[in-house]
Amino acid sequence: MNKLATVFWIVVGALASLPTWAQDLRPAFLLTGAHARDSQDLSGQWTYSKDLYRTGLTDINGWVAKSRMQRYRDIDVAAVEAKGGADFFEFDLDRGPLMAIPGAWNAATPELRYYDGLVWFQRKFAASPQPGKRAFLRFEAVNYRAYVYLNGKEIGRHEGGFTPFVLEVTQALRAGENRLVVGVDSTHDAQSIPTTITDWDLYGGITRPVRLITTPATFIDDATLALRPNGRISGEVRLQGPDAANQQVSLAIGTVASVRAVTDASGRVVFDLPAPKALARWTPEQPTLYDVRFSVAGDVLRERIGFRTIEVKGSQILLNGKPLYLRGMSLHEEEFGPNPARNITEQASRALLHEIKHGLKGNYVRLSHYPHSETTVRLADEMGLLVWSEIPVYWTVDWDNPAVLRKALAMQAETIYRDRNRASVILWSVGNETPVSPSRTRFHGAMADNVRQLDPTRLVSAALLVERQGDVLAIQDPLIDKLDVLAVNTYAGWYGADTLDAIANLTWKVPSDRPLILSEFGADALAGYRNDGNRKFTEEYQAEYYRKTLAMADRIPTLRGMSPWILKDFRSPRREHPVFQNGWNRKGLLSETGVRKQAFGVLRDYYHTK
Ligand code: GCU
């Protein structure tokens, strides 16, 4: 057996040894590269029906809902009513009000602004199923639980407000008109991720696009490729379908490389090849993306992939072997405007990222506190912004509950499977500001192990709480042994009694051999509220807060970057000061309509020095 083949089988053996729990987390279908597949976009006007008392799911005594309330039934209510007779209904999605999907219902009508519960949505669409083809519905996100029915049949369910899911509908799809009904339940509780306690608005609904995707009977369900620090490119391809085994898979990386390999009995094949000499590395300054093509008889999967390496060496973060400083900003998923619907179109996302990349001269964005739209992550690849990605294990969850841990691991897996071909993503974070306890540290430890199993090519971090002893700020968190990069949120000068002048006295006690990121710092300011700066909520105070905090940052020798809190004011029901807030967290460097505050210029000038 030649040398290359020997290496090939060694790699296959290594990758095949994933523990079963990591394999169990793989969703039934991924449809990686779905955006490039032929599909029917079901965005548009959907009818809806409120169901605050959940009558469409369960009856008063917990039994199955009465048929007159089952929103998902495949019936023409008006036609039945026209015949007269005993049957009657207490819903009709055919004649319901309309809502633009994708988009959260909280922004759709004043009546739904604070609605938190179950809403049913319907979309009728024409289809012409072809023999031998398979059909799937891919939801990019539904917040928080989804109950999916097609033509009256339950197709599947999903929990989690920010990750995609794929349901096969080959058997339920019919020629002509189809009736898709989705029950969306925004309710959170002590066992959800996140719980009901957050500092951002609810945004319930079908918040990202839904597409009908058709594939051949045997198709490429997943394909991943990455450049490793050893100078080789490796990854795997997985086919699904009756002819998945012993299929030749061709891989072309632009015009710089082309190889072939044959799938094993399970339809899986691993690639491992030396990086071509002509391969341009992806960097924020030069975000080179290659058209990568995975093909088998009858199917092609297209991806645009950047090739780079990310590592930690001592207290340095190395991008393509060179020390990196992260000039970043934190961001919630909320478009500019007075009434955001969390409808992140490419234009909306580009407007936000433009402020970081070109307004602030940044090279990094913390997509907080949950997986953002794949539109945003793809734009980060294209524009050259490095990304911190996290799932909403935020403040506190039910640490002792194995079912909640499983939810977190599954949510991480859905995020990693979705984004592991994105060069921009360099950090997977396992938590935000979670109070230290043995069960919490075990929970995060399992999350860190999960990330390393699913994706050994990226770094692990967490936004930790800072310990304070007088003027000394320290990180004393047992979790740091599981992290590659330490990160901490600090608000001295905003929360607490510190004056802005007192910030100058603060010193940091952190491990000297680990890179540190200031994952959050910030102060509120109402755009246009001006005075001499000695009053909180003024633009001058926020600007001076930034000057003093940035001077403190310069005194931390292991600091390798920051993502100040936050690019833009964002909706939060926690923030109800009637003059300064009115339901908005005002820590943005821009107002909700995109007006830059004084502090924007302070940070931009600072980043010019980095
Ligand atoms: C915390 C938290 C943010 C919150 C911010 C604030 O650090 O991570 O989600 O919005 O503080 O208080 O504004």
Side-chain angles (χ1 to χ4, degrees):
M1 188 184 291
N2 70 36
K3 190 167 176 299
L4 184 62
T6 309
V7 171
F8 165 80
W9 286 111
I10 291 169
V11 172
V12 168
L15 285 169
S17 61
L18 282 180
T20 47
W21 55 263
Q23 290 162 3
D24 291 349
L25 294 170
R26 174 185 280 268
F29 298 103
L30 287 170
L31 279 182
T32 299
H35 69 290
R37 280 191 177 278
D38 292 339
S39 65
Q40 190 175 336
D41 186 345
L42 300 179
S43 299
Q45 293 293 314
W46 293 43
T47 56
Y48 69 90
S49 172
K50 299 193 304 300
D51 190 1
L52 197 57
Y53 287 178
R54 315 166 70 77
T55 62
L57 282 178
T58 46
D59 192 7
I60 48 176
N61 35 36
W63 295 337
V64 172
K66 292 276 189 300
S67 62
R68 67 172 183 274
M69 296 181 174
Q70 291 172 342
R71 267 71 166 185
Y72 47 80
R73 291 184 62 190
D74 186 22
I75 50 170
D76 179 339
V77 171
V80 175
E81 286 168 351
K83 291 182 191 140
D87 277 352
F88 79 100
F89 303 93
E90 298 186 278
F91 77 94
D92 182 0
L93 273 166
D94 286 345
R95 289 176 284 177
L98 293 169
M99 190 183 300
I101 298 299
W105 62 62
N106 313 85
T109 75
E111 176 201 24
L112 295 176
R113 176 72 192 87
Y114 292 102
Y115 184 96
D116 184 3
L118 181 59
V119 179
W120 294 86
F121 291 90
Q122 177 180 279
R123 173 72 153 81
K124 289 177 153 179
F125 62 92
S128 43
Q130 298 144 46
K133 297 279 190 186
R134 297 172 73 171
F136 300 89
L137 284 171
R138 183 171 188 268
F139 294 79
E140 289 191 27
V142 176
N143 192 24
Y144 172 73
R145 286 181 180 79
Y147 304 84
V148 181
Y149 299 82
L150 184 63
N151 300 325
K153 296 183 193 71
E154 178 166 0
I155 301 296
R157 302 180 172 192
H158 182 266
E159 178 177 350
F162 303 99
T163 47
F165 56 100
V166 177
L167 301 172
E168 180 158 17
V169 293
T170 308
Q171 303 310 322
L173 195 69
R174 64 193 175 204
E177 185 176 82
N178 289 264
R179 183 193 298 269
L180 171 61
V181 174
V182 183
V184 179
D185 184 359
S186 63
T187 315
H188 290 67
D189 54 34
Q191 283 71 46
S192 57
I193 295 180
T195 65
T196 55
I197 304 165
T198 71
D199 188 22
W200 64 85
D201 214 329
L202 178 67
Y203 290 116
I206 303 173
T207 51
R208 295 177 193 160
V210 184
R211 287 187 175 85
L212 177 71
I213 296 169
T214 307
T215 71
T218 295
F219 63 97
I220 305 175
D221 183 47
D222 185 29
T224 184
L225 211 54
L227 175 65
R228 312 290 170 128
N230 65 2
R232 300 182 69 83
I233 291 177
S234 60
E236 66 165 30
V237 172
R238 288 184 185 239
L239 308 189
Q240 294 224 29
D243 302 327
N246 305 317
Q247 283 290 328
Q248 176 170 282
V249 181
S250 301
L251 161 62
I253 303 173
T255 56
V256 297
S258 153
V259 291
R260 288 191 185 82
V262 176
T263 58
D264 64 15
S266 72
R268 177 170 175 266
V269 66
V270 170
F271 285 101
D272 181 77
L273 61 148
K277 287 194 178 22
L279 187 78
R281 296 316 189 254
W282 185 94
T283 67
E285 298 74 27
Q286 191 80 28
T288 306
L289 297 175
Y290 283 87
D291 289 323
V292 178
R293 189 183 154 84
F294 302 90
S295 47
V296 293
D299 196 31
V300 177
L301 186 155
R302 293 179 181 80
E303 268 283 29
R304 294 193 72 211
I305 298 181
F307 296 93
R308 53 103 189 99
T309 60
I310 191 77
E311 310 159 76
V312 164
K313 196 168 178 188
S315 72
Q316 292 290 349
I317 301 174
L318 303 180
L319 177 69
N320 300 319
K322 298 191 190 94
L324 173 69
Y325 187 90
L326 296 167
R327 305 186 308 277
M329 203 72 220
S330 291
L331 185 67
H332 261 303
E333 184 165 49
E334 193 178 81
E335 64 271 31
F336 281 121
N339 183 28
R342 189 176 279 166
N343 177 16
I344 298 296
T345 61
E346 181 176 324
Q347 185 191 2
S349 186
R350 198 179 286 278
L352 294 163
L353 298 185
H354 178 88
E355 290 292 344
I356 300 173
K357 176 80 178 177
H358 302 294
L360 291 167
K361 299 288 178 243
N363 64 358
Y364 169 60
V365 58
R366 178 184 178 204
L367 298 183
S368 40
H369 285 293
Y370 36 75
H372 284 220
S373 158
E374 45 207 273
T375 299
T376 295
V377 186
R378 287 187 184 285
L379 269 179
D381 265 17
E382 179 195 310
M383 294 172 70
L385 282 170
L386 294 154
V387 166
W388 158 305
S389 176
E390 63 188 84
I391 67 167
V393 174
Y394 175 91
W395 285 352
T396 188
V397 299
D398 185 352
W399 306 118
D400 293 304
N401 186 326
V404 175
L405 175 58
R406 167 105 191 147
K407 255 182 229 177
L409 301 182
M411 208 176 274
Q412 276 184 312
E414 289 172 345
T415 307
I416 291 170
Y417 282 123
R418 186 194 79 173
D419 290 343
R420 60 184 183 169
N421 285 336
R422 305 279 73 78
S424 53
V425 179
I426 56 168
L427 283 157
W428 300 117
S429 170
V430 297
N432 180 76
E433 289 196 353
T434 57
V436 176
S437 73
S439 57
R440 160 265 188 194
T441 304
R442 278 195 301 275
F443 192 103
H444 284 319
M447 290 176 69
D449 295 345
N450 190 40
V451 168
R452 295 190 196 285
Q453 289 291 349
L454 290 163
D455 176 15
T457 72
R458 290 177 174 87
L459 305 177
V460 181
S461 187
L464 304 174
L465 286 166
V466 69
E467 297 292 326
R468 179 147 183 191
Q469 295 127 7
D471 281 347
V472 177
L473 300 169
I475 297 179
Q476 282 154 352
D477 188 324
L479 182 59
I480 64 174
D481 297 338
K482 286 280 192 180
L483 307 179
D484 299 308
V485 176
L486 309 185
V488 69
N489 296 350
T490 174
Y491 282 92
W494 180 256
Y495 295 121
D498 299 291
T499 63
L500 293 183
D501 290 340
I503 296 175
N505 308 326
L506 299 178
T507 57
W508 285 78
K509 197 171 82 178
V510 291
S512 59
D513 61 348
R514 317 284 294 279
L516 176 71
I517 294 176
L518 292 184
S519 36
E520 284 184 34
F521 60 82
D524 281 65
L526 175 63
Y529 177 37
R530 317 290 296 271
N531 89 333
D532 57 8
N534 64 356
R535 218 171 292 156
K536 289 186 174 180
F537 285 106
T538 61
E539 284 196 40
E540 286 83 356
Y541 187 96
Q542 186 190 43
E544 188 59 13
Y545 166 91
Y546 265 75
R547 287 185 201 95
K548 293 289 198 313
T549 303
L550 293 170
M552 176 191 72
D554 280 343
R555 298 197 303 270
I556 307 172
T558 55
L559 192 68
R560 302 294 174 242
M562 55 178 64
S563 47
W565 192 258
I566 187 168
L567 180 74
K568 166 187 92 68
D569 293 354
F570 61 94
R571 280 212 189 276
S572 168
R574 303 177 75 86
R575 312 297 176 163
E576 286 298 343
H577 188 295
V579 175
F580 303 124
Q581 295 176 321
N582 291 297
W584 294 87
N585 181 312
R586 295 286 183 200
K587 292 189 183 66
L589 294 187
L590 297 102
S591 72
E592 69 274 27
T593 57
V595 175
R596 291 178 181 178
K597 303 173 192 174
Q598 271 188 16
F600 186 98
V602 174
L603 186 65
R604 182 196 52 225
D605 295 348
Y606 179 78
Y607 280 166
H608 270 310
T609 68
K610 285 297 172 192

